[in-house]
Amino acid sequence: RALAAQLPEGCVTYGRKAMSAEVQQDGTTRVQFQEGPPATCDLLVAADGPRSAFRQHFGSSAMRFAGYFAWRGKVPMDELPDRTQAALKEAYPDFGNCLYFVHRPEGGQHAVLYGLGNGLVNWLLYENRPQPLAGPGQTVAVAPMHELEQLKSTARSRWGEGFGGVIEATPEPFVNDIYDLQDPLPSFANRSMAILGDAAHAITPHMAKGSNLALHDALTLAAAAAGAADVPSMLQAYSEARTQECARCLLLSRHLGRVRSGLHPGCKSSPKDGVSFEALVRSSGMCARTLPTGELFLPVWDFLRSGLPESERGFFLRSEGTELPRTLKQKADNIGDRSGTSMRIPPGAEPVQITCVNHISRETADVERLRRFYSTVLGLKALRRPDFGFGGAWLEIQPGISLHIIELDPDKPTAEGRHPVQDADLTDAGRLPERFIRRSHHVALTVPDIGAAKATLEAHGVRYAENTVPGTSCVQLFFHDPDGNGVEIGNFDAVL
């Protein structure tokens, strides 16, 4: 309301729920409300939260239950017993000035503890559960009484006098099921409509940046409006600036939650403290860089680079392989000559962002013989495999990385009298059909944003073929390197 007060009188109307929208032939958008007459506008910005009624216009993505919920509550500091206040300040000396992520020493649970201002203590305690507690279309529920009693009766023994005392003293804890978008939206713009905030990128809370993402959306949209000649070009600039970063944040937050909860396939256990959490993040192969890029933010990163000692940087600024964003020229200089390949890299073209290795494939004329070898000699365990229409088997090398045994394609061409053709024989890289890469020896890599990966490959002049894993939203891109070696990249993490 404070921001609305800065606008001319009559610009803002309260108490009307927008239900649907339709772009008209003249390019305007007609909005229908639950009550009252419709409205026609030149630009619609949908900011109606995680269960947005307008997301369908932007490549609709369903909400995904994360596999856990959070106990939530708040209590005034002055209503806590003296011993609890003293223990809280001793265990969390910077309380009130920061947000604490807390792990149970025994593992299996994690929590968040911070001050809301005005003396209020706020907390969340995460607990794994295969199904949500709230009803359809709902996120918050009243806690079952027996579970609430167990939570309070075990709080001090599990979390200590400080945090445990806070839980015990909270009058009405409630349950919050954790959701995010199943797949990142490919675009935040559609003709005369834009989407922002949780409506565009409903995210799990593990990066504590949902609100900041929405503010960044608004800042970017305002900057695009200031420099655009018309609405379509404004929305295109806004969408191009925001979709990749938001997708990266959405998937990273998803994985951080799974690591903290012991659910990530790359983790064999849940973390017991901050040190083990950071180790698990690194060992799971996740890319932790989610820093916003663009000219607007370069002064921030220049300041951090020159003025913030390495020892004072948080995990995401000091993680191995993480670099503060640089100017486009610096990035282009870092790409270099790529000597050793015949491919010319366009100036300023950035590399595809890779999260981790997903699988390695081996083709064979005898699937069962190869499966038996890797199972009995190397001890690899069988994994469920979708029906691709040809023979094969999947085996687990380690959590998150698998071996795909693929039946030899009988129609694959020969080279120089040898059968089958080998990758090294494919001198005209990228010219053979996608099926001959998919069913041959190749390495598969996970990317956080399949749309951005496509754009990057195109910027580098790399031809690729596309396929979708049956029954999933996982998209695969296949191509050859300059020596004819098969490469596959995909948004494999989208199906976790």
Side-chain angles (χ1 to χ4, degrees), residues 224-341:
D230 51 38
V231 169
S233 59
M234 174 187 77
L235 296 185
Q236 181 181 356
Y238 161 68
S239 180
E240 290 177 352
R242 294 301 295 143
T243 49
Q244 184 173 349
E245 182 200 340
C246 291
R248 194 166 60 238
C249 291
L250 190 157
L251 293 176
L252 177 58
S253 185
R254 174 184 300 178
H255 294 327
L256 291 177
R258 293 175 68 83
V259 169
R260 289 190 186 277
S261 303
L263 298 174
H264 194 281
C267 302
K268 297 181 180 180
S269 62
S270 57
K272 301 179 180 180
D273 52 35
V275 174
S276 60
F277 167 68
E278 292 188 14
L280 284 171
V281 169
R282 291 192 177 93
S283 66
S284 67
M286 291 185 291
C287 174
R289 200 187 90 182
T290 64
L291 306 177
T293 57
E295 296 298 324
L296 286 171
F297 286 86
L298 287 177
V300 177
W301 309 133
D302 288 341
F303 169 77
L304 291 176
R305 189 179 296 108
S306 61
L308 188 65
E310 186 77 19
S311 60
E312 296 181 16
R313 297 183 183 184
F315 173 67
F316 294 110
L317 289 182
R318 57 183 168 81
S319 295
E320 184 177 351
T322 297
E323 242 185 73
L324 295 177
R326 298 177 181 272
T327 65
L328 184 62
K329 181 180 184 303
Q330 288 172 310
K331 290 180 178 179
D333 292 343
N334 289 340
I335 291 175
D337 183 42
R338 296 292 200 278
S339 58
T341 75

Side-chain angles (χ1 to χ4, degrees), residues 24 90 94 107 111 175 213 231 263 295 366 384 411 489:
Q24 306 298 298
E90 181 179 356
D94 293 319
V175 167
L213 285 175
V231 169
L263 298 174
E295 296 298 324
D366 191 335
R384 185 186 65 83
D411 295 326
I489 60 177

